[in-house]
Amino acid sequence: MDAFSSNAEEVLQRSVEVKVQDRFQDLHSYLELERCQAFISQNQFKTVALQFPDELLWSSARVVSFLSKTTSAKCYILGDTSYGSCCVDEVAAQHIEADCIIHFGRSCLSPTSRLPVLYVFGRESVDVSDVVTAFQELFTDQGQQVIVLYDVGYAHIADELKTSLSESSVIVSEVVASGQPTVQNGLKKTNQLSVPSSPVLDGYTRHQVCGRTFHLPSENKLENCSIFYIGGESLTLKNLMITLNQCPFFTYDPQTKTRRQETLNVNKMLMKRYYMIERAKDAQIVGIIVGTLGVANYLDILSHLKTIMKKAGKKYYTFAVGKLNVAKLANFMEVEVYVLVACSENTLIDSKEFYQPVVTPYEMEVACNQAREWTGEYTTDFRELLPGEYTWLDNTLIDSIEFYQPVETLHEMEVACN
């Protein structure tokens, strides 16, 4: 028998070499455990919720062991989130009456409304010198205005990038969770609505896009800038490209060290979204899907959507279904279109597999608010539709809304989009 199979005793005693990814070799550094300990100790938190994505759940026991030894707090692990792992799960944290949440891994940077949060993105490995080389290869014109954006995992190199790319025409963004502390400090809680995206301060215009903030000289228009993005393909990159759809995008992936100009057909993507708006205009029964219970102001946007839909003569139902899938929404056949209230990274979904279209709050706003017209500008952040934001448009004077049929029929538009 041994001639045809391995000896059982050999199998039991055989040693297997397991190669751990380099970025996890020093877990203390990668997950910034000393900063977590300082966050808990300085604020004297007693009950702490630790939220991990699936890919980091294996490290949770080691994190709890370290924090239990260095602080007096009691730590709980939040393994399975109520919605997307990029969102802070305040609902689960409140079940254990947590004083704060430490969120590990990638984040959509959506502000929270109930608990103080510390974001630990993970310090992804990156060769900064190669980033600079890639930048110089992609942008040969030194006078070209370039805005540097990056995945949250590379936020730790922002200061080094500012030094290495010190040309006046290069602007390095900062990752800041609106209504929450910056990623460098993370020791205080605020509940305020985000600062309007484009106030003018001392000759500079402040822009905030998908949790990334940068200041552009007031004489320069955003659409005349190029974007240099550090990171791989992700929902973040897709959302940035559709939001800044008038700017050419160049990317550098630190994991593969590849650099390129992105060729995603943004115009086709926008045409698909416009088709969804037309479907929303024609719908008489709308389902409002609550895709978050933690993002600040989600109750305000729900109230706003109900108001504009009522003015547009639409009937609506509100659903809280947790994580979205086709089977759940197939139970409500009378609904003609759904609007998903979620964080900026999860609100824009491809609903071709669903029986009915799923639109974003911005698309429903365009469909129902006569004061807002489709111009090609786009936002995935529903808070920009609320009073207090510079993009808010008042619809209180609208007594009735009459929709027109565009030159193209919906069938012709659907064929063009597909």
Side-chain angles (χ1 to χ4, degrees), residues 87 108 110-113 193-194 210 289-305 339-348 359-363 365 372 378-387 389 391-392:
C87 298
C108 56
S110 298
T112 55
S113 57
L193 190 67
S194 65
C210 299
I289 303 174
V290 182
T292 177
L293 296 177
V295 178
N297 308 112
Y298 82 93
L299 290 176
D300 296 329
I301 193 63
L302 288 176
S303 176
H304 176 69
L305 288 172
V339 53
L340 175 60
V341 176
C343 71
S344 59
E345 290 204 356
N346 289 322
T347 189
L348 187 65
V359 303
T360 68
Y362 175 75
E363 291 163 354
E365 165 95 359
R372 189 180 296 278
Y378 202 90
T379 180
T380 55
D381 187 353
F382 63 73
R383 293 174 302 117
E384 294 190 12
L385 308 177
L386 298 174
E389 294 288 338
T391 50
W392 177 70

Side-chain angles (χ1 to χ4, degrees), residues 117-393:
V117 181
L118 176 69
Y119 292 96
V120 180
F121 303 130
R123 299 171 67 89
E124 298 287 353
S125 59
V126 55
D127 184 351
V128 178
S129 62
D130 195 56
V131 175
V132 175
T133 301
F135 180 90
Q136 294 171 344
E137 292 175 358
L138 293 171
F139 302 99
T140 55
D141 182 4
Q142 296 186 355
Q144 185 176 2
Q145 186 76 70
V146 181
I147 300 170
V148 180
L149 305 175
Y150 42 83
D151 187 86
V152 292
Y154 305 105
H156 61 97
I157 67 170
D159 292 337
E160 192 172 352
L161 286 175
K162 291 178 182 179
T163 303
S164 303
L165 303 174
S166 56
E167 296 89 347
S168 59
S169 59
V170 180
I171 299 174
V172 179
S173 63
E174 296 180 356
V175 173
V176 178
S178 301
Q180 288 292 327
T182 63
V183 297
Q184 290 84 359
N185 299 321
L187 297 178
K188 295 183 179 179
K189 173 188 175 184
T190 62
N191 291 322
Q192 63 189 25
L193 190 67
S194 65
V195 178
S197 298
S198 291
V200 178
L201 300 171
D202 299 327
Y204 285 85
T205 304
R206 181 183 183 274
H207 296 268
Q208 183 169 309
V209 182
C210 299
R212 288 137 182 94
T213 301
F214 54 89
H215 295 81
L216 194 65
S218 299
E219 64 272 13
N220 295 347
K221 294 184 178 180
L222 182 58
E223 55 267 25
N224 295 332
C225 299
S226 297
I227 306 298
F228 180 60
Y229 178 80
I230 303 171
E233 294 185 8
S234 62
L235 288 174
T236 300
L237 177 58
K238 181 180 179 181
N239 286 340
L240 286 170
M241 291 186 69
I242 196 172
T243 303
L244 303 173
N245 56 70
Q246 295 179 325
C247 303
F249 266 74
F250 300 81
T251 61
Y252 172 81
D253 188 346
Q255 302 303 318
T256 61
K257 295 191 174 182
T258 56
R259 61 272 272 161
R260 66 183 183 185
Q261 180 174 3
E262 292 296 325
T263 57
L264 176 66
N265 192 336
V266 178
N267 289 332
K268 185 176 182 180
M269 187 189 302
L270 289 172
M271 190 174 182
K272 287 183 178 180
R273 304 319 302 183
Y274 181 68
Y275 166 71
M276 303 292 272
I277 293 173
E278 292 299 322
R279 292 288 300 271
K281 284 183 179 180
D282 289 342
Q284 295 302 311
I285 301 178
V286 180
I288 305 175
I289 303 174
V290 182
T292 177
L293 296 177
V295 178
N297 308 112
Y298 82 93
L299 290 176
D300 296 329
I301 193 63
L302 288 176
S303 176
H304 176 69
L305 288 172
K306 292 176 182 179
T307 299
I308 62 175
M309 283 191 285
K310 185 176 181 181
K311 287 181 177 292
K314 299 182 185 298
K315 187 176 181 179
Y316 56 82
Y317 298 94
T318 304
F319 301 95
V321 295
K323 293 181 180 178
L324 210 59
N325 61 48
V326 176
K328 288 180 180 178
L329 299 191
N331 291 311
F332 312 102
M333 297 304 296
E334 66 273 17
V335 175
E336 299 173 60
V337 66
Y338 291 94
V339 53
L340 175 60
V341 176
C343 71
S344 59
E345 290 204 356
N346 289 322
T347 189
L348 187 65
I349 66 173
D350 186 358
S351 58
K352 62 182 180 181
E353 296 182 357
F354 291 81
Y355 292 101
Q356 299 296 352
V358 181
V359 303
T360 68
Y362 175 75
E363 291 163 354
M364 185 57 70
E365 165 95 359
V366 175
C368 296
N369 188 350
Q370 195 176 31
R372 189 180 296 278
E373 298 180 354
W374 174 260
T375 62
E377 295 183 357
Y378 202 90
T379 180
T380 55
D381 187 353
F382 63 73
R383 293 174 302 117
E384 294 190 12
L385 308 177
L386 298 174
E389 294 288 338
Y390 86 105
T391 50
W392 177 70
L393 292 177

